[in-house]
Amino acid sequence: TDAGRLIIKTEFLPTKYRGYMLPLSQVFWLAGSLLIIGLASVVIPTIGWRWLIRIASIPGIILILAFKFIPESARFNVSTGNTQAALATLQRIAKMNRSVMPEGTLVEPILEKRGRFADLLDAKYLRTTLQIWVIWLGISFAYYGVILASAELLERDLVCGSRSEAEVVVTVMDTEESQSPCHCHMFAPSDYRTMIISTIGEIALNPVNILGINFLGRRLSLSITMGCTALFFLLLNICTSSAGLIGFLFMLRALVAANFNTIYIYTAEVYPTMMRALGMGTSGSLCRIGAMVAPFISQVLMSASFLGALCLFSSVCVICAISAFTLPIETKGRALQQIK
């Protein structure tokens, strides 16, 4: 869903506005994140986490019904020979903007071949595709790693990393009879506040991210934010106060959100229309793999070696920064490619 909406927006927006408008959609992601945290703080302590899942499913059901009101991409319709549908979409847009369609006809070539997986590995795009996959995997790994590490830090009260494992075990054993079979430590109201503050970080760097994307370019902007993400992962190991921890988490959430903004835009721009959805789809698959691996590091490895987990996250971000810097194609100011 995320990839699909971005592809449609990319194909509708003019070149000069893509670098500004696409990152602004992060505001709605932020709103959803804040809503679920606020909802959790009320629902979980009262009626349980299962009701949180049920309530959170409602917007998704509504969205399914709303899909029929979203117009199909005119670029896609033209590429498949459905010129009349493309014209209808463009006329609808002109009407909404109180404008008129310019005279002329749509003459984009009809694509005989649709995107195939093999096209992503064609000589022209092979290096770009492989580096994009590495970046998507790493960004997703870091993004969900930050979120899960935040919860782990708050749950274990490891602000300074100074609390010994023995103390944690004793705490669990002391409360064994009063806890659930999972011996879960419930979040306090202050923990939810910390999560809300750190989540707001996802929008904090948006103005800087937009400037970087449009003036430094997609590649350099992404390599800088990935490098800074690696640095802030290491800074989590510094013994600090609760306020310091919140500050580090705030910056990490801001940086990982900026990384996602940039790679979404770059991936949608670098591939031609016939391959765009396929490129985003395969990248999204790698993204899910990164999301699946993150819990094993943020919760399992972090319990055994806090510094080891942070170093692994940091190392992955450094690899992504190098991969971003060496991407062969810069898409800043580049018109969307129609054909391969």
Side-chain angles (χ1 to χ4, degrees), residues 37 41 45 154 186-196:
I37 294 172
S41 67
L154 294 171
M186 299 292 288
F187 275 12
S190 60
D191 295 329
Y192 285 110
R193 285 196 296 271
T194 298
M195 292 291 286
I196 288 173

PDB file of all heavy atoms in Angstrom, residues 37 41 45 154 186-196:
ATOM      1  N   ILE A  37       0.054   5.300  19.574  1.00  0.00           N
ATOM      2  CA  ILE A  37       0.691   5.346  20.896  1.00  0.00           C
ATOM      3  C   ILE A  37      -0.285   5.893  21.928  1.00  0.00           C
ATOM      4  O   ILE A  37      -0.424   5.357  23.036  1.00  0.00           O
ATOM      5  CB  ILE A  37       1.966   6.204  20.862  1.00  0.00           C
ATOM      6  CG1 ILE A  37       3.030   5.550  19.972  1.00  0.00           C
ATOM      7  CG2 ILE A  37       2.530   6.390  22.282  1.00  0.00           C
ATOM      8  CD1 ILE A  37       4.246   6.417  19.737  1.00  0.00           C
ATOM      9  N   SER A  41      -1.893   3.854  25.161  1.00  0.00           N
ATOM     10  CA  SER A  41      -1.780   4.304  26.558  1.00  0.00           C
ATOM     11  C   SER A  41      -3.117   4.259  27.288  1.00  0.00           C
ATOM     12  O   SER A  41      -3.166   4.153  28.513  1.00  0.00           O
ATOM     13  CB  SER A  41      -1.212   5.726  26.618  1.00  0.00           C
ATOM     14  OG  SER A  41      -2.121   6.660  26.066  1.00  0.00           O
ATOM     15  N   PRO A  45      -3.954  -0.539  29.247  1.00  0.00           N
ATOM     16  CA  PRO A  45      -4.140  -0.699  30.698  1.00  0.00           C
ATOM     17  C   PRO A  45      -5.578  -0.992  31.112  1.00  0.00           C
ATOM     18  O   PRO A  45      -5.812  -1.453  32.234  1.00  0.00           O
ATOM     19  CB  PRO A  45      -3.697   0.668  31.252  1.00  0.00           C
ATOM     20  CG  PRO A  45      -2.908   1.303  30.178  1.00  0.00           C
ATOM     21  CD  PRO A  45      -3.506   0.816  28.900  1.00  0.00           C
ATOM     22  N   LEU A 154      13.001   1.231  27.533  1.00  0.00           N
ATOM     23  CA  LEU A 154      12.015   1.698  28.506  1.00  0.00           C
ATOM     24  C   LEU A 154      11.517   0.555  29.387  1.00  0.00           C
ATOM     25  O   LEU A 154      11.341   0.707  30.592  1.00  0.00           O
ATOM     26  CB  LEU A 154      10.838   2.350  27.776  1.00  0.00           C
ATOM     27  CG  LEU A 154      11.167   3.635  27.017  1.00  0.00           C
ATOM     28  CD1 LEU A 154       9.980   4.067  26.168  1.00  0.00           C
ATOM     29  CD2 LEU A 154      11.564   4.744  27.971  1.00  0.00           C
ATOM     30  N   MET A 186       4.725  -3.786  32.295  1.00  0.00           N
ATOM     31  CA  MET A 186       3.840  -2.831  31.646  1.00  0.00           C
ATOM     32  C   MET A 186       4.466  -1.442  31.599  1.00  0.00           C
ATOM     33  O   MET A 186       5.160  -1.032  32.535  1.00  0.00           O
ATOM     34  CB  MET A 186       2.508  -2.757  32.399  1.00  0.00           C
ATOM     35  CG  MET A 186       1.745  -4.071  32.436  1.00  0.00           C
ATOM     36  SD  MET A 186       1.139  -4.578  30.820  1.00  0.00           S
ATOM     37  CE  MET A 186      -0.182  -3.395  30.587  1.00  0.00           C
ATOM     38  N   PHE A 187       4.224  -0.729  30.490  1.00  0.00           N
ATOM     39  CA  PHE A 187       4.700   0.645  30.365  1.00  0.00           C
ATOM     40  C   PHE A 187       3.979   1.542  31.368  1.00  0.00           C
ATOM     41  O   PHE A 187       2.775   1.430  31.575  1.00  0.00           O
ATOM     42  CB  PHE A 187       4.428   1.180  28.965  1.00  0.00           C
ATOM     43  CG  PHE A 187       5.501   0.832  27.959  1.00  0.00           C
ATOM     44  CD1 PHE A 187       6.477  -0.095  28.251  1.00  0.00           C
ATOM     45  CD2 PHE A 187       5.526   1.456  26.716  1.00  0.00           C
ATOM     46  CE1 PHE A 187       7.453  -0.420  27.331  1.00  0.00           C
ATOM     47  CE2 PHE A 187       6.498   1.152  25.795  1.00  0.00           C
ATOM     48  CZ  PHE A 187       7.464   0.209  26.103  1.00  0.00           C
ATOM     49  N   ALA A 188       4.737   2.450  31.959  1.00  0.00           N
ATOM     50  CA  ALA A 188       4.153   3.491  32.805  1.00  0.00           C
ATOM     51  C   ALA A 188       3.735   4.657  31.905  1.00  0.00           C
ATOM     52  O   ALA A 188       4.179   4.754  30.755  1.00  0.00           O
ATOM     53  CB  ALA A 188       5.171   3.957  33.841  1.00  0.00           C
ATOM     54  N   PRO A 189       2.880   5.579  32.402  1.00  0.00           N
ATOM     55  CA  PRO A 189       2.503   6.753  31.600  1.00  0.00           C
ATOM     56  C   PRO A 189       3.703   7.531  31.076  1.00  0.00           C
ATOM     57  O   PRO A 189       3.678   8.047  29.958  1.00  0.00           O
ATOM     58  CB  PRO A 189       1.672   7.585  32.580  1.00  0.00           C
ATOM     59  CG  PRO A 189       1.072   6.569  33.507  1.00  0.00           C
ATOM     60  CD  PRO A 189       2.127   5.514  33.676  1.00  0.00           C
ATOM     61  N   SER A 190       4.778   7.607  31.877  1.00  0.00           N
ATOM     62  CA  SER A 190       5.976   8.331  31.436  1.00  0.00           C
ATOM     63  C   SER A 190       6.630   7.655  30.240  1.00  0.00           C
ATOM     64  O   SER A 190       7.226   8.318  29.383  1.00  0.00           O
ATOM     65  CB  SER A 190       6.981   8.438  32.590  1.00  0.00           C
ATOM     66  OG  SER A 190       7.369   7.141  33.017  1.00  0.00           O
ATOM     67  N   ASP A 191       6.533   6.317  30.164  1.00  0.00           N
ATOM     68  CA  ASP A 191       7.093   5.592  29.027  1.00  0.00           C
ATOM     69  C   ASP A 191       6.342   5.929  27.740  1.00  0.00           C
ATOM     70  O   ASP A 191       6.944   6.092  26.676  1.00  0.00           O
ATOM     71  CB  ASP A 191       7.042   4.084  29.278  1.00  0.00           C
ATOM     72  CG  ASP A 191       7.934   3.659  30.435  1.00  0.00           C
ATOM     73  OD1 ASP A 191       8.963   4.320  30.654  1.00  0.00           O
ATOM     74  OD2 ASP A 191       7.589   2.680  31.123  1.00  0.00           O
ATOM     75  N   TYR A 192       5.018   6.031  27.832  1.00  0.00           N
ATOM     76  CA  TYR A 192       4.234   6.422  26.658  1.00  0.00           C
ATOM     77  C   TYR A 192       4.582   7.849  26.231  1.00  0.00           C
ATOM     78  O   TYR A 192       4.650   8.149  25.034  1.00  0.00           O
ATOM     79  CB  TYR A 192       2.735   6.316  26.957  1.00  0.00           C
ATOM     80  CG  TYR A 192       2.221   4.889  26.992  1.00  0.00           C
ATOM     81  CD1 TYR A 192       1.835   4.298  28.184  1.00  0.00           C
ATOM     82  CD2 TYR A 192       2.120   4.149  25.814  1.00  0.00           C
ATOM     83  CE1 TYR A 192       1.352   2.989  28.215  1.00  0.00           C
ATOM     84  CE2 TYR A 192       1.644   2.839  25.840  1.00  0.00           C
ATOM     85  CZ  TYR A 192       1.263   2.267  27.039  1.00  0.00           C
ATOM     86  OH  TYR A 192       0.794   0.980  27.060  1.00  0.00           O
ATOM     87  N   ARG A 193       4.811   8.721  27.212  1.00  0.00           N
ATOM     88  CA  ARG A 193       5.205  10.103  26.868  1.00  0.00           C
ATOM     89  C   ARG A 193       6.542  10.115  26.139  1.00  0.00           C
ATOM     90  O   ARG A 193       6.734  10.861  25.170  1.00  0.00           O
ATOM     91  CB  ARG A 193       5.265  10.956  28.135  1.00  0.00           C
ATOM     92  CG  ARG A 193       3.906  11.353  28.688  1.00  0.00           C
ATOM     93  CD  ARG A 193       4.037  12.497  29.685  1.00  0.00           C
ATOM     94  NE  ARG A 193       4.805  12.106  30.860  1.00  0.00           N
ATOM     95  CZ  ARG A 193       4.285  11.562  31.947  1.00  0.00           C
ATOM     96  NH1 ARG A 193       2.978  11.311  32.006  1.00  0.00           N
ATOM     97  NH2 ARG A 193       5.038  11.254  32.988  1.00  0.00           N
ATOM     98  N   THR A 194       7.470   9.284  26.609  1.00  0.00           N
ATOM     99  CA  THR A 194       8.771   9.193  25.949  1.00  0.00           C
ATOM    100  C   THR A 194       8.618   8.703  24.507  1.00  0.00           C
ATOM    101  O   THR A 194       9.257   9.219  23.585  1.00  0.00           O
ATOM    102  CB  THR A 194       9.700   8.236  26.723  1.00  0.00           C
ATOM    103  OG1 THR A 194       9.909   8.751  28.038  1.00  0.00           O
ATOM    104  CG2 THR A 194      11.045   8.091  26.025  1.00  0.00           C
ATOM    105  N   MET A 195       7.747   7.699  24.312  1.00  0.00           N
ATOM    106  CA  MET A 195       7.517   7.183  22.963  1.00  0.00           C
ATOM    107  C   MET A 195       6.917   8.258  22.066  1.00  0.00           C
ATOM    108  O   MET A 195       7.276   8.381  20.887  1.00  0.00           O
ATOM    109  CB  MET A 195       6.578   5.974  23.033  1.00  0.00           C
ATOM    110  CG  MET A 195       7.172   4.753  23.709  1.00  0.00           C
ATOM    111  SD  MET A 195       8.496   3.997  22.745  1.00  0.00           S
ATOM    112  CE  MET A 195       7.591   3.209  21.439  1.00  0.00           C
ATOM    113  N   ILE A 196       6.004   9.056  22.610  1.00  0.00           N
ATOM    114  CA  ILE A 196       5.382  10.129  21.825  1.00  0.00           C
ATOM    115  C   ILE A 196       6.418  11.173  21.438  1.00  0.00           C
ATOM    116  O   ILE A 196       6.490  11.610  20.278  1.00  0.00           O
ATOM    117  CB  ILE A 196       4.221  10.771  22.615  1.00  0.00           C
ATOM    118  CG1 ILE A 196       3.036   9.812  22.686  1.00  0.00           C
ATOM    119  CG2 ILE A 196       3.788  12.090  21.967  1.00  0.00           C
ATOM    120  CD1 ILE A 196       1.910  10.281  23.578  1.00  0.00           C
TER     121      ILE A 196
END
